[in-house]
Amino acid sequence: MSVVEEKTMIAEVLETLGIKNNNRGASTGSHWFNTRGEKIDSFSPVDGEYIASVNSASEVDFEAVVLKAQEAFKAWRKIPAPKRGEVVRQLGNKLREYKEPLGKLVSYEMGKSLQEGLGEVQEMIDICDFAVGLSRQLDGSTLQSERPLHRMYDQYHPLGIVGIISAFNFPVAVWCWNTALAWICGDVTIWKPSEKVPLCAIACQNIAAEVFAENNVPEGVSSVVIGDLEIGKLMTSDKRIPLVSATGSIRMGKSVGETVAKRLGKSILELGGNNAIIITPTANMEMVIPGVVFGAVGTSGQRCTSTRRLIIHESIYDKVKDILKNAYKQIKIGSPLDESNHMGPLIDQQAVDIYLKAIEEVKREGGTMLVEGEKLEGEAYKSGCYVSPSIAEVENHYNIVQNETFAPLLYIMKYSGGVENAIELQNGVVQGLSSSIFTDSVRESELFLSYAGSDCGIANVNIGTSGAEIGGAFGGEKETGGGRESGSDAWKAYMRRQTNTINYSTELPLAQGIKFDF
């Protein structure tokens, strides 16, 4: 695709998605506020070109959004859940219509490959489909009372306003993971997207507004506030927002969790990952290599589930190392809009600096660079955000290895003896998001999945650490935050639980046989 063709395509994408040259940064649906905050300019990491600008939301805008959301909740919660599900079904269909332009915008504004951008929109469609079925299954339990002629059960009610703080690496999917579930549960949402990808948020809000207008959904069911850290602080400290779902770094998550906890609010935290793949002697190398390479360089290593560490049995260590070095020579780096490329840019030049400093830290601590990445120069990389990926031989205890670097830096290390030793290495970090083992041994795979195995929220056998399906609950343990989003019974986090007891006798017996006669 020529430069002229690419610019024409992006202009068409922006027009289709309702994005202007100058955009307002706060919305309660179809209405965009005349925001008073600082201007945010969005530049593409693909080519360094200016895309559009957004006037960020102010404290006054935030207050107006919360008030409108409170008002909308009172009406939205009264609508039967299957009817709310019908609205979400229509959102899924609308996303199908906009899949190509929205996927292209994700690719261009964030920098991930076009296939991954389209895949992210597909995740949105998938969670909408999941939520539609779930809207008829928000069940409770019938419980057995110890008192005669009593019925006891539990049920779930909407919480109210759900605040969503999302990261740049998944600029649209994480919003939909939360909103599709929150909406069918009867909640309303306020979304603070990453200020690094504000246009993706505007596009999503415009798409949702179309569906809401067609169904007379109240203004305020879906709201957006685009801004910096201060807007996030307003959200996390606001008692009117009972639940905050935050995706980002461990540092950010600790701040969010502490602030929300101080007001006894609830939080869903999906934070950093330091994800490992264990490769045992029986592993099928034809499966291992593509799984590892995609996990390590997909999205340029900027997924929370990206593969960071490779723990290889000593008997096959040299073999795997040589195959990986050869595989890395074949990685094509360039514009993510060109589907022949495997890897696009990092999000910005600050990310490039962090990556290069991490490589130097590996060497300072005693590691060996098998493949040393560098910043790429030339017309094709004029944004300054392109790098080549790295492989480093390290020890698990290195400080740089213990901390997540959000970049295509893969650490490899060896283990000896049984798989228990590999599991100990894998668990020997503070993060606990995703993990994987490649083995043909039933004993090894079952041990990995047992109580004595992986301590992560996600544990896979013979697939990589990256690329989770929406049907399973997504999230991790330890300093990854313990939250769960997306599938399974993650919906319960968006509701408040209530236990009900009904006495249909003519007497008033007390529990535990207590007598209170007078």
Side-chain angles (χ1 to χ4, degrees):
M1 185 185 298
S2 68
V3 174
V4 174
E5 289 173 328
E6 188 172 286
K7 286 186 176 181
T8 300
M9 180 195 72
I10 295 303
E12 291 174 352
V13 164
L14 296 177
E15 183 178 3
T16 299
L17 296 173
I19 296 171
K20 305 176 180 65
N21 188 52
N22 292 293
N23 301 273
R24 298 172 179 178
S27 170
T28 54
S30 60
H31 174 62
W32 289 89
F33 287 70
N34 186 18
T35 45
R36 304 164 177 82
E38 301 261 336
K39 189 171 82 162
I40 299 172
D41 292 325
S42 180
F43 291 88
S44 172
V46 175
D47 54 17
E49 295 291 325
Y50 166 81
I51 311 173
S53 65
V54 180
N55 290 324
S56 61
S58 67
E59 186 172 351
V60 173
D61 300 318
F62 178 80
E63 179 66 19
V65 165
V66 172
L67 291 175
K68 182 60 73 173
Q70 284 185 304
E71 181 183 333
F73 173 60
K74 293 176 183 177
W76 183 243
R77 66 185 177 183
K78 294 178 183 177
I79 298 171
K83 298 294 184 183
R84 298 192 295 257
E86 169 60 18
V87 174
V88 173
R89 185 190 69 81
Q90 292 180 38
L91 175 63
N93 285 342
K94 192 70 72 173
L95 288 167
R96 286 176 170 90
E97 294 176 25
Y98 285 103
K99 179 177 178 179
E100 185 174 345
L102 185 56
K104 287 177 178 176
L105 178 61
V106 168
S107 179
Y108 190 64
E109 188 176 31
M110 184 267 153
K112 63 175 60 177
S113 73
L114 180 55
Q115 279 298 307
E116 291 181 85
L118 295 170
E120 187 171 342
V121 182
Q122 187 61 48
E123 277 193 75
M124 303 172 77
I125 295 167
D126 292 345
I127 195 64
C128 285
D129 289 351
F130 177 87
V132 172
L134 189 62
S135 68
R136 294 181 181 270
Q137 298 176 348
L138 301 175
D139 56 347
S141 301
T142 298
L143 309 170
Q144 299 304 313
S145 175
E146 67 184 59
R147 290 167 285 185
L149 300 180
H150 281 59
R151 182 164 68 90
M152 187 162 60
Y153 67 96
D154 59 19
Q155 63 176 329
Y156 292 84
H157 295 297
L159 276 173
I161 301 174
V162 174
I164 302 165
I165 300 174
S166 63
F168 73 85
N169 59 335
F170 278 84
V172 296
V174 171
W175 167 73
C176 210
W177 285 1
N178 284 278
T179 51
L181 295 188
W183 290 343
I184 61 105
C185 288
D187 299 320
V188 300
T189 57
I190 300 176
W191 179 23
K192 184 216 168 292
S194 168
E195 60 268 36
K196 295 184 179 184
V197 283
L199 305 181
C200 286
I202 291 173
C204 289
Q205 182 72 346
N206 287 341
I207 292 169
E210 283 188 36
V211 176
F212 285 3
E214 292 166 2
N215 289 272
N216 296 315
V217 172
E219 283 275 328
V221 171
S222 175
S223 299
V224 172
V225 282
I226 297 171
D228 58 13
L229 181 64
E230 294 308 310
I231 291 294
K233 287 180 178 178
L234 289 174
M235 179 180 288
T236 57
S237 61
D238 197 314
K239 291 182 178 180
R240 295 169 294 181
I241 302 176
L243 172 65
V244 175
S245 177
T247 303
S249 67
I250 290 173
R251 177 187 56 78
M252 180 275 284
K254 286 182 176 179
S255 175
V256 169
E258 181 180 2
T259 303
V260 174
K262 279 183 178 177
R263 59 178 176 85
L264 297 181
K266 299 180 180 181
S267 59
I268 299 172
L269 301 176
E270 198 282 284
L271 310 176
N274 200 342
N275 316 297
I277 294 178
I278 296 170
I279 303 177
T280 73
T282 64
N284 182 335
M285 287 301 147
E286 292 184 3
M287 296 168 65
V288 166
I289 300 306
V292 169
V293 175
F294 174 73
V297 309
T299 323
S300 302
Q302 296 173 117
R303 291 185 175 216
C304 33
T305 55
S306 290
T307 304
R308 309 291 179 201
R309 297 175 297 141
L310 212 54
I311 302 167
I312 311 164
H313 192 269
E314 61 182 358
S315 66
I316 56 170
Y317 182 79
D318 290 336
K319 175 185 176 182
V320 174
K321 182 169 68 172
D322 290 342
I323 294 173
L324 270 177
K325 287 170 65 177
N326 183 59
Y328 267 51
K329 292 176 184 177
Q330 301 172 50
I331 294 172
K332 297 177 182 178
I333 305 167
S335 170
L337 297 171
D338 181 346
E339 296 189 59
S340 67
N341 290 323
H342 301 107
M343 190 175 132
L346 293 175
I347 185 63
D348 54 27
Q349 295 191 35
Q350 181 184 21
V352 173
D353 293 340
I354 291 171
Y355 173 55
L356 298 178
K357 287 178 182 177
I359 292 172
E360 293 307 310
E361 182 63 19
V362 168
K363 293 188 282 188
R364 191 191 70 77
E365 290 198 58
T368 301
M369 299 304 301
L370 296 179
V371 177
E372 185 166 348
E374 61 182 0
K375 182 177 179 178
L376 301 179
E377 306 289 348
E379 181 62 23
Y381 313 118
K382 64 180 182 179
S383 70
C385 299
Y386 289 86
V387 298
S388 56
S390 297
I391 304 174
E393 282 187 296
V394 298
E395 298 292 336
N396 201 51
H397 65 267
Y398 290 177
N399 183 64
I400 189 64
V401 177
Q402 290 287 311
N403 291 282
E404 180 185 37
T405 299
F406 224 54
L409 176 52
L410 177 65
Y411 302 119
I412 67 172
M413 60 195 77
K414 66 178 69 171
Y415 78 95
S416 57
V419 74
E420 296 88 347
N421 295 330
I423 292 171
E424 184 177 355
L425 283 172
Q426 187 234 274
N427 293 346
V429 293
V430 298
Q431 307 87 351
L433 180 52
S434 187
S435 58
S436 173
I437 187 171
F438 279 85
T439 180
D440 278 350
S441 165
V442 172
R443 177 188 171 277
E444 288 179 335
S445 64
E446 289 296 326
L447 185 61
F448 178 73
L449 300 175
S450 74
Y451 62 87
S454 169
D455 63 3
C456 295
I458 299 169
N460 298 326
V461 176
N462 291 330
I463 60 171
T465 60
S466 196
E469 297 181 32
I470 61 91
F474 183 88
E477 299 301 319
K478 300 190 293 189
E479 291 194 7
T480 299
R484 293 296 185 275
E485 298 170 315
S486 193
S488 187
D489 65 349
W491 63 271
K492 292 180 179 178
Y494 301 86
M495 306 194 83
R496 59 182 177 87
R497 186 170 184 161
Q498 185 180 78
T499 301
N500 307 116
T501 306
I502 301 167
N503 177 4
Y504 56 96
S505 76
T506 57
E507 299 179 355
L508 190 65
L510 301 177
Q512 293 85 48
I514 294 173
K515 300 295 183 183
F516 190 72
D517 298 326
F518 64 96

